[in-house]
Structure formats: C-alpha cells, structure tokens
Amino acid sequence: DLNPDLVEDVEVAVPKYVIDTTQARESFEMSFMARFNKKPNFDAAYAYDLLKLIAREGFLGDIPMAKHEGVVGTISFDATGRSQTQWVKARFVKGKLAAM
C-alpha cells in the first residue's frame, strides 16, 4: 500500500478500468473474488477479456482486428497487431485514485 501523504495530488495515467465502475467490471470482480478470494487487478481483467475475444473470434495466427467491449472497456488493435486500451489521467486524493 502507498503512503497517502507521499502520493497526495500526484497525477498518473491509468487504464480506464482502474477508475470506471461498470456493470461488467462489477460482475467480473464478484466472480473473480468468489473463486480466488481476492480482488482482481487490471492484468487479470485484461487477460479475461483477451481470452474471451480469442474464444469468440478464433485465433489463426493473426490477432483479430475487431474491437471488443469487455471488462476493461474497449480493446482494439493497431495495424501492427498491438492491443490498445483506454487510458485516463487520475490524481491521488486522500490515498485513492480519482478521475481528473
């Protein structure tokens, strides 16, 4: 855990998933916590979304170019096949991240 006094007013860029609360995120977090007895981080949610995308679109050696709405928000791919997710600016306020 971070010392709230040391990070107060620090601005950071974070995946939108970290800040936004959606029904998809809440459902995923509840299922994850029931199974693993801990809260999922962004990496767990991102991996979940990518596996769902591969299961839906198939994986034939090329990354699907379709956009996917998932737990972490919109995932898309650039021309080189790199995945893109939404990032937002946030600021620490009283030890917690808040959207800017």
Side-chain angles (χ1 to χ4, degrees):
D1 289 323
L2 297 172
N3 179 334
D5 294 331
L6 295 178
V7 296
E8 187 68 18
D9 290 326
V10 171
E11 295 178 5
V12 294
V14 296
K16 190 175 180 184
Y17 167 85
V18 175
I19 299 295
D20 283 356
T21 301
T22 64
Q23 186 173 351
R25 176 184 172 178
E26 289 176 3
S27 177
F28 170 73
E29 286 183 350
M30 286 177 24
S31 296
F32 189 96
M33 289 177 11
R35 181 164 185 182
F36 300 107
N37 202 30
K38 66 179 182 177
K39 189 173 182 177
N41 61 13
F42 171 76
D43 294 335
Y46 191 66
Y48 174 81
D49 278 348
L50 288 178
L51 288 173
K52 281 185 67 174
L53 177 61
I54 291 168
R56 186 186 79 211
E57 298 290 330
F59 191 76
L60 304 173
D62 292 323
I63 296 175
M65 293 297 170
K67 284 188 177 183
H68 172 70
E69 292 297 328
V71 173
V72 299
T74 304
I75 298 174
S76 60
F77 299 87
D78 67 15
T80 66
R82 292 186 181 152
S83 63
Q84 308 290 312
T85 58
Q86 299 165 303
W87 287 69
V88 296
K89 287 175 68 176
R91 174 183 289 135
F92 282 96
V93 178
K94 297 181 183 176
K96 300 206 184 281
L97 280 173
M100 294 178 61

